[in-house]
Amino acid sequence: MIIIDILKTIKARRSIHTFKEQEVDATILKEIFTYGSYAPTHYMKEPWNIKLYQEKGRYAFVNAIISSYQRIGMIKTDESVKTLKMIDSMKNFLLQIPHHAVIYFEKDDNPVRYEEDYASISAFIQNAQLAAWEYGVGMLWTITPYMHDPEFASEIGLNETMKIAAVMQIGYPKKVSHDKGRTAIEEKLEIIIE
């Protein structure tokens, strides 16, 4: 049984940029996302949904990313050696990540409900990151241009009523960065007494 010291974990957790090739066991991933689901959620709506790409499932996901980057102009569509080398390099980098989790939700037309859902999903993601850290699993919370490409969403099976909130890269850390500290809270905190 894992004993969590939440205050230490909040300070110790890091965003992970390089992962070991080893996959995280499905049971552990389910436990991590179960802890995530204890996030605050308005009206117990629990708006989060997860598409988890791993093993061979990563290939279609990575190909959809490359196609999106070409559509939106981040990668050229020519067949030059330079372009093909860039695509190959990007694919190799993305395929070295053991798990990619697309976190998405059903868009609410009410702007207040939409913000509540997005805030709740952000709390879900942070809970999952903290739980993952306790299991020795690292995550990188990404917000990337392809998330806003309707064709990308369609390629991975989402329709226009759904919004991608984040893509989490997940695996055992190959390297953990040092603590860069934080701005003293006194610089961010305004106390009003009258």
Side-chain angles (χ1 to χ4, degrees):
M1 179 181 184
I2 292 180
I3 306 295
I4 296 177
D5 183 338
I6 193 67
L7 298 180
K8 285 182 183 172
T9 303
I10 287 169
K11 283 188 163 184
R13 186 210 58 82
R14 299 283 174 272
S15 293
I16 300 302
H17 299 274
T18 56
F19 300 92
K20 295 178 182 175
E21 289 182 25
Q22 177 187 359
E23 292 184 2
V24 180
D25 184 85
T27 304
I28 292 173
L29 288 169
K30 287 177 186 174
E31 287 184 24
I32 287 168
F33 288 124
T34 297
Y35 281 113
S37 71
Y38 281 84
T41 173
H42 288 81
Y43 311 106
M44 285 302 293
K45 194 170 175 185
E46 301 177 280
W48 46 81
N49 294 285
I50 309 154
K51 282 183 175 279
L52 187 61
Y53 295 89
Q54 57 192 39
E55 300 174 32
K56 291 180 182 175
R58 294 175 300 166
Y59 289 88
F61 179 69
V62 168
N63 286 335
I65 291 171
I66 299 300
S67 295
S68 177
Y69 281 161
Q70 288 181 312
R71 266 193 306 279
I72 61 181
M74 289 183 67
I75 299 176
K76 292 182 178 179
T77 56
D78 64 17
E79 296 287 321
S80 72
V81 173
K82 186 178 179 182
T83 299
L84 294 175
K85 199 178 237 186
M86 179 189 283
I87 290 170
D88 192 48
S89 175
M90 190 173 288
K91 280 185 177 182
N92 286 336
F93 170 76
L94 292 168
L95 289 170
Q96 286 176 1
I97 299 163
H99 312 272
H100 298 266
V102 176
I103 315 296
Y104 67 98
F105 63 106
E106 191 78 29
K107 290 187 270 191
D108 197 309
D109 292 333
N110 179 317
V112 174
R113 297 283 180 262
Y114 181 94
E115 286 185 15
E116 288 172 351
D117 290 348
Y118 195 86
S120 185
I121 289 166
S122 295
F124 166 82
I125 292 169
Q126 179 65 350
N127 276 4
Q129 288 188 121
L130 293 171
W133 199 254
E134 285 296 317
Y135 284 94
V137 174
M139 293 185 170
L140 181 63
W141 181 345
T142 67
I143 306 290
T144 59
Y146 63 78
M147 291 171 38
H148 306 286
D149 175 8
E151 284 186 55
F152 171 80
S154 178
E155 278 187 51
I156 65 166
L158 302 180
N159 64 43
E160 63 280 349
T161 68
M162 298 168 181
K163 167 77 176 147
I164 299 173
V167 176
M168 307 298 294
Q169 297 174 355
I170 305 168
Y172 290 105
K174 189 181 276 187
K175 182 182 172 190
V176 177
S177 62
H178 67 281
D179 182 358
K180 295 176 184 163
R182 292 293 189 267
T183 302
I185 201 63
E186 291 80 6
E187 294 181 36
K188 304 281 186 177
L189 176 65
E190 178 183 3
I191 300 174
I192 296 102
I193 57 172
E194 286 185 26

